[in-house]
Amino acid sequence: MAAIHLDQIGHSYGTAVYALEKTDLHFDDGKTFALLGPSGCGKTTMLNIISGLLTPSDGRVLLGGTDVTRVKTAERNIAQVFQFPVVYQSKTVFENLAFPLHCRGWDKPRITRRVGEIAELLGLCSRLDQSARRLTADEKQLISLGRGLVRDDVAALLMDEPLTVIDPHMKFDLRRRIKQANDQTRHTVVYVTHDQNEAMTFADEILVMNAGRVVQRGTPQELFERPRDLYVANFIGSPGMNFVQAERGDGDLRLAGVPVVAGSRCEVIAPRDEVVLGIRPEHIVFAKGEERGIPASIVSVEDHGSLRVVDVTVGSNRLRMKVGRDVALPSEQVRIRAAAARIRLYVGGLMVS
Ligand code: ATP
């Protein structure tokens, strides 16, 4: 296993606009990273630079401290799993998993032992003698992964949207098995996805990308609780964060006249700054009994099975709240609240507190 360092990497496909703006990134040894962002933001470009499928216009790629910028993919000891599973249809599952080891000249007992270990890890033991042609797409994808994991010389494992072509009802199980395998093998994994649920489940750290730039990197919890700008706040979460223009009170910030954030957190704001309050739908609740709440009106309720997404208006603002099934919905006119510690403050689109 090896750490990956993208040293002042940038890439243009021959146009003035850089598909990947110049950046310096470290991927620690043994951790799982997700590159998350919308289509066209540069995820695959970055992955292909790491694997060697693409030579960057600027900068260097270091694997375990060695400069591999000009080294071919095959010589980088990188294992890759793509969107479409790559299996040898004419071979059995065992032969597929054993193939990389045959190529490295391993002897038969060693191959049998190693393939057995990996089959056990991926839950493929009962399939070893079957022809790969007969397998379902998710099983084929496990073999693609297994062919990477079986090797003992892998510097990093790169995965490019591996769940995209998998049936929705199989995704959950495959996701669990891939995660289990990653947790046990502790490879350095870089996982590309546009699906935040996948990124959140898999990754120790997520790099959120937009228009060729990493706009924030952090743990799933950090990205959820402290998104550094409005883009990340909106991109992470389902639905994304609510944004409301704050009213200035006497040493506090208010919503519909009700103080929602007070004290030292307001001191970081200059007198003329326009402040946007960022409040997650998960963090808004109905005020109870005598609690002082923000007056709101319910405008719609979307049933999501285990929970409901309730749209409310507060003055001219619209906010969404996530409400558990067991919560009785009050009448149309309601009062809501959110704990001050959960509310983020944004000035000029950037989080200040
Ligand atoms: P997707 O999820 O759709 O694959 P992505 O986030 O992986 O998107 P990239 O495929 O890295 O994004 O593309 C980044 C930008 O580079 C896009 O604007 C894309 O159109 C452009 N691009 C990608 N490959 C090429 C290429 N071979 N030639 C020219 N431009 C390219």
Side-chain angles (χ1 to χ4, degrees):
M1 259 49 64
I4 304 166
H5 179 194
L6 300 184
D7 176 22
Q8 296 301 316
I9 284 288
H11 189 71
S12 149
Y13 288 97
T15 60
V17 181
Y18 265 53
L20 195 62
E21 286 185 25
K22 222 168 173 181
T23 183
D24 199 79
L25 292 172
H26 283 271
F27 298 90
D28 302 334
D29 190 358
K31 277 191 166 183
T32 299
F33 300 88
L35 304 181
L36 174 69
S39 185
C41 69
K43 307 180 294 292
T44 301
T45 301
M46 191 187 290
L47 202 72
N48 288 348
I49 288 173
I50 299 172
S51 70
L53 291 174
L54 198 62
T55 306
S57 321
D58 301 307
R60 300 184 307 154
V61 181
L62 293 106
L63 277 182
T66 305
D67 185 347
V68 295
T69 318
R70 309 274 152 199
V71 174
K72 290 194 188 107
T73 304
E75 288 153 26
R76 288 192 188 189
N77 286 336
I78 293 266
Q80 299 191 72
V81 179
F82 300 99
Q83 206 168 348
F84 294 95
V86 182
V87 295
Y88 301 108
Q89 305 268 13
S90 59
K91 294 183 190 292
T92 63
V93 172
F94 181 92
E95 288 163 348
N96 266 279
L97 293 175
F99 189 72
L101 307 180
H102 276 303
C103 296
R104 282 162 180 76
W106 286 34
D107 62 40
K108 220 170 161 193
R110 200 171 158 215
I111 291 178
T112 306
R113 207 169 43 244
R114 183 64 183 152
V115 168
E117 284 167 13
I118 294 302
E120 174 86 43
L121 184 66
L122 297 175
L124 288 171
C125 289
S126 61
R127 296 273 193 270
L128 283 175
D129 296 329
Q130 274 186 18
S131 159
R133 197 186 308 278
R134 291 244 178 83
L135 303 179
T136 54
D138 56 304
E139 288 169 329
K140 287 181 181 165
Q141 198 57 297
L142 279 176
I143 293 174
S144 296
L145 173 65
R147 277 217 313 270
L149 297 181
V150 83
R151 293 162 45 188
D152 65 352
D153 58 355
V154 170
L157 174 61
L158 309 182
M159 307 179 90
D160 195 351
E161 306 256 11
L163 299 187
T164 306
V165 298
I166 306 300
D167 280 350
H169 68 285
M170 301 307 292
K171 264 188 189 172
F172 185 80
D173 186 50
L174 181 56
R175 201 160 76 180
R176 181 183 57 77
R177 288 210 241 177
I178 296 179
K179 169 131 180 73
Q180 255 171 13
N182 285 349
D183 286 348
Q184 286 189 36
T185 53
R186 295 318 295 174
H187 281 84
T188 309
V189 180
V190 183
Y191 186 104
V192 161
T193 181
H194 61 269
D195 179 334
Q196 56 170 300
N197 286 327
E198 259 174 62
M200 295 267 180
T201 344
F202 275 124
D204 298 312
E205 224 180 283
I206 300 175
L207 287 77
V208 182
M209 297 184 66
N210 186 26
R213 281 190 320 119
V214 174
V215 286
Q216 185 172 1
R217 68 182 285 176
T219 62
Q221 187 182 354
E222 281 163 355
L223 295 177
F224 186 77
E225 291 181 356
R226 301 187 64 80
R228 68 174 295 276
D229 64 15
L230 299 183
Y231 172 81
V232 178
N234 182 48
F235 191 77
I236 299 288
S238 178
M241 194 177 248
N242 294 293
F243 303 121
V244 205
Q245 191 80 34
E247 300 149 17
R248 289 297 188 105
D250 186 15
D252 57 31
L253 295 167
R254 300 178 179 199
L255 192 49
V258 179
V260 287
V261 179
S264 59
R265 291 183 67 200
C266 298
E267 288 162 16
V268 295
I269 302 159
R272 287 179 176 212
D273 285 346
E274 295 215 331
V275 183
V276 169
L277 305 173
I279 316 173
R280 290 266 177 222
E282 291 80 357
H283 297 153
I284 306 177
V285 293
F286 293 114
K288 286 190 196 127
E290 297 305 306
E291 276 177 350
R292 186 169 181 200
I294 302 153
S297 308
I298 295 180
V299 285
S300 72
V301 179
E302 241 175 53
D303 203 326
H304 288 241
S306 61
L307 55 85
R308 285 165 294 187
V309 174
V310 179
D311 273 37
V312 297
T313 51
V314 174
S316 59
N317 297 296
R318 198 163 173 137
L319 289 94
R320 309 188 91 183
M321 47 195 292
K322 268 187 172 176
V323 179
R325 271 230 81 81
D326 48 336
V327 175
L329 289 184
S331 58
E332 239 169 68
Q333 299 305 313
V334 293
R335 284 173 300 121
I336 58 170
R337 62 176 185 81
R342 299 289 204 177
I343 299 176
R344 305 270 70 90
L345 310 184
Y346 293 89
V347 174
L350 292 177
M351 191 184 75
V352 293
S353 169

